Amino acid sequence: MHAKSKVMYFCTAGKDRIGVVSALILKRLGFSAEIIIDDYMKDLMDMLTAYVNIHPEVDIEIIIPHRENMEQLLKQW
């Protein structure tokens, strides 16, 4: 099935479901694992750090992405 027009998908942070979907799309498009992982980590860390600055009650250690998780995912594909 192909989209007949543009497709938009999103979630709150992009760490889990959308982060994985985006990584797999980029992998299929030929991007290297290193580029995908660097982009995933940087964008999320910037956003999550800003979020925790606004909401200090949130423990950043619980919500941060882990590079090794994305590395393992991309090794499978």
Side-chain angles (χ1 to χ4, degrees), residues 19-20 23 36-37 40 66-74:
V20 168
I36 295 167
I37 294 166
Y40 171 78
H66 297 281
R67 183 178 193 90
E68 60 273 7
N69 292 342
M70 187 57 74
E71 288 171 349
Q72 288 299 315
L73 172 78
L74 293 174

Side-chain angles (χ1 to χ4, degrees), residues 6 18 20 28 30 35 40-41 46 50 52 56 71 76-77:
K6 296 175 177 95
I18 297 304
V20 168
R28 285 286 285 157
I35 289 173
Y40 171 78
M41 295 299 296
D46 291 349
V52 170
E71 288 171 349
Q76 302 300 314
W77 289 80

Side-chain angles (χ1 to χ4, degrees), residues 2-71:
H2 298 313
K4 293 181 181 177
S5 65
K6 296 175 177 95
V7 175
M8 180 175 83
Y9 62 101
F10 62 93
C11 69
T12 302
K15 179 178 151 230
D16 299 316
R17 295 168 299 249
I18 297 304
V20 168
V21 169
S22 296
L24 295 177
I25 289 170
L26 291 171
K27 181 80 170 168
R28 285 286 285 157
L29 290 172
F31 288 87
S32 72
E34 192 63 30
I35 289 173
I36 295 167
I37 294 166
D38 286 348
D39 183 63
Y40 171 78
M41 295 299 296
K42 182 192 178 314
D43 288 347
L44 280 172
M45 287 305 296
D46 291 349
M47 186 192 68
L48 294 173
T49 300
Y51 180 82
V52 170
N53 287 336
I54 296 168
H55 301 280
E57 70 279 6
V58 175
D59 181 356
I60 196 164
E61 294 301 319
I62 293 173
I63 63 173
I64 60 172
H66 297 281
R67 183 178 193 90
E68 60 273 7
N69 292 342
M70 187 57 74
E71 288 171 349

